[in-house]
């Protein structure tokens, strides 16, 4: 035992851990410590595309994302960091009749939620974006208030604010065990020694299941590699994120002019794997040159990989364990954790401080939903 004590210990220095730490400190709970085994944003957050989208197929996800956008809009003012946040919109492209019909239903629901989403025919897409090849396109949707930001800067912004408000961040500090007495969390063991606490939050991204095993709570999450690459810079002309679920790709231009491109691979096996493959480069570049002909002869600069921490319904798993008091989790984001993290961090902080959420309902995201198996799978995922 030691005299190192924090009310809340957070495992993971990605966007989830730092957003939560920030909102806890903001609500006056500054007895908070984040433990990160490597450097801040070294996990999925620092490897992601930074897309921020509200066009989801399930109503709760739309609400969560809309709340996050409100918080991203105020990020610079509230948190004190310019995170290259741009509301250049998201153009969602559909290449199948079924999906196009689903998009039309999604848009009705999204508009009911107050989201301004346009439906564009292929010729409207061509007129508006003459540099996109519309071959095979059935329909597109566009939401101007969607956008993107620099994920590293978001984490660093939150981290600096946490330290300023009195919270602690231990980088290069691995959590090796969670101490539970009488079904209640009482502390954690780390590579820097023992810390007592009342609450532990599992915000460990790709390692969510392994961390949960430390307290004997089974999380239905699996991590899958996702590769991503970046080109040399071009003059800035492409303000939106373009994405397609049926076409399996996403791409956007950064503030510095580079294009970030990615796609999923349904043949990936679960497990942590940071290798990259030539197959990915070949497949994605030929597809992207066909749809975005201006990318022809543009050089690739870098190619890396990160993990999607997947849940069975492709929606995050957030809440407190019923089995172990004081053990919380915010994991399983299934490839869209960056964009919802501010709303999740705010909601979880409110839950910890007030015992209830004030801005966004996250009760539907608990582990319990998997018990009765009536889960609605989020469809809008690459
Ligand atoms: C290629 C790619 C593209 C993506 N694009 C988007 C996008 O456009 N928009 C979007 O919203 N999302 C996107 N995502 C998903 C997004 O990156 C994640 O959902 C999000 O970053 C999860 O954040 P996190 O903080 O929960 O996890 P992470 O960022 O992975 O952070 C978890 C941290 O926990 C630490 N950790 C683990 N175990 C321990 C331990 N025992 N002790 C201490 N620390 C530990 C890890 O080192 C890690 O830094 C993408 C992901 C990938 C891989």
């Amino acid at each position: 035992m030691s005299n190192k004590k924090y009310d809340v210990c957070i495992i993971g220095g990605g966007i989830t851990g730092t957003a939560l730490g920030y909102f806890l400190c903001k609500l006056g709970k500054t007895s908070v410590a984040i433990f990160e085994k490597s450097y801040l944003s070294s996990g999925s957050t620092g490897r992601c595309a930074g897309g921020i989208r509200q066009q989801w197929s399930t109503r709760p996800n739309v609400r969560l994302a809309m709340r996050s956008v409100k918080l991203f809009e105020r990020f610079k003012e509230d948190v004190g960091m310019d995170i290259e946040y741009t509301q250049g919109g998201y153009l969602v492209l559909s290449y199948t009749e079924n999906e196009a019909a689903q998009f039309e239903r999604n848009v009705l629901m999204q508009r009911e939620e107050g989201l301004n989403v346009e439906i564009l025919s292929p010729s409207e897409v061509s007129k508006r974006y003459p540099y996109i090849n519309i071959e095979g396109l059935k329909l597109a949707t566009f939401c101007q208030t969607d956008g993107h930001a620099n994920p590293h800067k978001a984490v660093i912004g939150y981290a600096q604010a946490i330290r300023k408000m009195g919270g602690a961040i231990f980088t290069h500090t691995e959590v090796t065990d969670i101490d539970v007495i009488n079904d209640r969390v009482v502390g954690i063991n780390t590579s820097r020694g023992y810390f007592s606490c009342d609450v532990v939050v599992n915000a460990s991204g790709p390692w969510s299941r392994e961390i949960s095993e430390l307290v004997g709570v089974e999380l239905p999450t699996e991590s899958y590699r996702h590769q991503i690459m970046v080109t040399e810079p071009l003059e800035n002309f492409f303000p939106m994120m373009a994405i397609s679920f049926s076409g399996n790709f996403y791409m956007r231009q950064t503030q510095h002019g580079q294009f970030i491109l990615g796609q999923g691979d349904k043949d990936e096996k679960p497990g942590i794997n940071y290798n990259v493959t030539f197959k990915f480069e070949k497949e994605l570049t030929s597809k992207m040159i066909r749809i975005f002909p201006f990318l022809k002869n543009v050089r690739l600069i870098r190619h890396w990989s990160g993990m999607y921490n997947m849940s069975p319904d492709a929606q995050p798993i957030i809440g407190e364990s019923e089995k172990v008091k004081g053990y919380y989790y915010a994991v399983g984001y299934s490839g869209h954790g960056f964009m919802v993290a501010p709303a999740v961090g705010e909601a979880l902080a409110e839950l910890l401080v007030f015992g209830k959420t004030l801005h966004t309902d996250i009760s539907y995201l608990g582990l319990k939903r998997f018990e009765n198996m009536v889960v609605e799978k989020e469809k809008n995922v690459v």
Side-chain angles (χ1 to χ4, degrees):
M1 287 285 177
S2 78
N3 57 3
K4 292 182 283 189
K5 159 104 177 72
Y6 291 95
D7 290 351
V8 182
C9 285
I10 301 170
I11 308 173
I15 195 69
T16 304
T18 53
L20 173 59
Y22 168 79
F23 283 104
L24 282 170
C25 288
K26 240 188 118 186
L27 292 176
K29 190 163 243 344
T30 54
S31 178
V32 174
I34 296 177
F35 296 84
E36 167 52 55
K37 68 177 171 181
S38 182
Y39 55 90
L40 290 174
S41 98
S42 58
S44 300
T45 306
R47 298 159 187 277
C48 88
I52 299 164
R53 161 165 59 100
Q54 301 155 98
Q55 298 178 68
W56 290 96
S57 74
T58 62
R59 198 178 286 275
N61 272 355
V62 172
R63 289 185 183 162
L64 198 59
M66 284 177 76
R67 178 65 192 162
S68 250
V69 163
K70 287 271 160 298
L71 297 166
F72 274 116
E73 283 169 346
R74 297 187 340 224
F75 199 101
K76 194 170 168 186
E77 201 183 321
D78 287 356
V79 185
M81 168 80 90
D82 177 357
I83 59 168
E84 299 167 21
Y85 180 52
T86 313
Q87 284 181 299
Y90 246 76
L91 180 68
V92 190
L93 301 155
S94 173
Y95 293 94
T96 71
E97 299 289 355
N98 273 350
E99 189 190 45
Q102 176 68 45
F103 277 14
E104 288 183 317
R105 290 194 293 274
N106 291 351
V107 169
L108 286 181
M109 176 272 287
Q110 291 158 359
R111 285 179 180 160
E112 276 170 19
E113 289 301 316
L115 197 61
N116 189 358
V117 187
E118 295 171 81
I119 295 182
L120 303 176
S121 67
S123 59
E124 284 169 320
V125 170
S126 188
K127 209 163 136 203
R128 209 185 272 196
Y129 313 107
Y131 45 81
I132 297 182
N133 173 5
I134 57 158
E135 189 191 327
L137 186 67
K138 302 290 181 217
L139 180 128
T141 64
F142 182 77
C143 175
Q144 184 66 65
T145 53
D146 288 346
H148 48 76
N150 181 324
H152 292 283
K153 289 191 173 174
V155 169
I156 300 306
Y158 277 142
Q160 286 178 354
I162 291 168
R163 287 184 169 127
K164 234 186 241 169
M165 289 188 280
I169 299 177
F170 299 95
T171 55
H172 302 282
T173 308
E174 182 162 5
V175 175
T176 51
D177 205 1
I178 301 176
D179 195 11
V180 175
I181 297 177
N182 295 332
D183 295 329
R184 172 168 277 287
V185 163
V186 293
I188 56 172
N189 262 309
T190 79
S191 52
R192 240 179 244 262
Y194 186 89
F195 291 79
S196 314
C197 61
D198 306 321
V199 167
V200 165
V201 183
N202 178 354
S204 65
W207 293 269
S208 63
R209 214 180 44 183
E210 290 77 359
I211 289 293
S212 210
E213 278 165 9
L214 298 176
V215 292
V217 172
E218 200 184 321
L219 287 178
T221 51
E222 289 277 17
S223 291
Y224 290 85
R225 172 177 66 174
H226 274 253
Q227 301 184 57
I228 177 166
M229 58 198 187
V230 66
T231 70
E232 64 182 332
L234 301 185
E235 201 178 310
N236 268 91
F237 70 98
F238 198 95
M240 70 271 187
M241 173 80 96
I243 189 167
S244 178
F245 314 114
S246 49
N248 184 25
F249 67 82
Y250 58 82
M251 65 101 88
R252 74 165 173 100
Q253 193 171 23
T254 69
Q255 211 177 59
H256 313 284
Q258 296 122 318
F259 277 87
I260 293 181
L261 322 162
Q263 69 170 10
D265 181 349
K266 57 177 177 25
D267 295 330
E268 282 292 342
K269 306 272 176 296
I272 307 286
N273 177 2
Y274 285 120
N275 295 329
V276 292
T277 65
F278 183 54
K279 174 177 169 266
F280 173 86
E281 283 184 19
K282 236 171 89 177
E283 274 179 20
L284 186 59
T285 49
S286 55
K287 176 165 60 185
M288 297 314 263
I289 288 169
R290 186 167 42 77
I291 302 169
F292 306 101
F294 58 85
L295 285 175
K296 199 166 184 211
N297 298 326
V298 174
R299 278 168 289 208
L300 282 182
I301 287 191
R302 207 158 65 82
H303 170 187
W304 67 96
S305 62
M307 299 296 135
Y308 276 19
N309 191 231
M310 298 300 297
S311 77
D313 60 358
Q315 305 199 53
I317 308 178
I318 305 168
E320 183 184 10
S321 165
E322 288 190 352
K323 199 168 144 196
V324 181
K325 275 275 151 238
Y327 171 59
Y328 290 73
Y329 34 79
V331 299
Y333 289 101
S334 308
H336 52 276
F338 175 65
M339 62 184 87
V340 294
V344 169
E346 178 191 58
L348 211 43
E350 289 167 353
L351 200 60
L352 285 167
V353 173
F354 305 119
K356 61 175 187 194
T357 58
L358 306 182
H359 292 88
T360 325
D361 177 29
I362 52 167
S363 58
Y364 68 99
L365 290 171
L367 247 187
K368 229 179 159 47
R369 72 184 190 270
F370 301 110
E371 283 171 14
N372 50 19
M373 296 311 284
V374 280
V375 290
E376 184 186 1
K377 188 162 179 167
E378 174 55 62
K379 298 173 190 70
N380 289 1
V381 182
V382 167

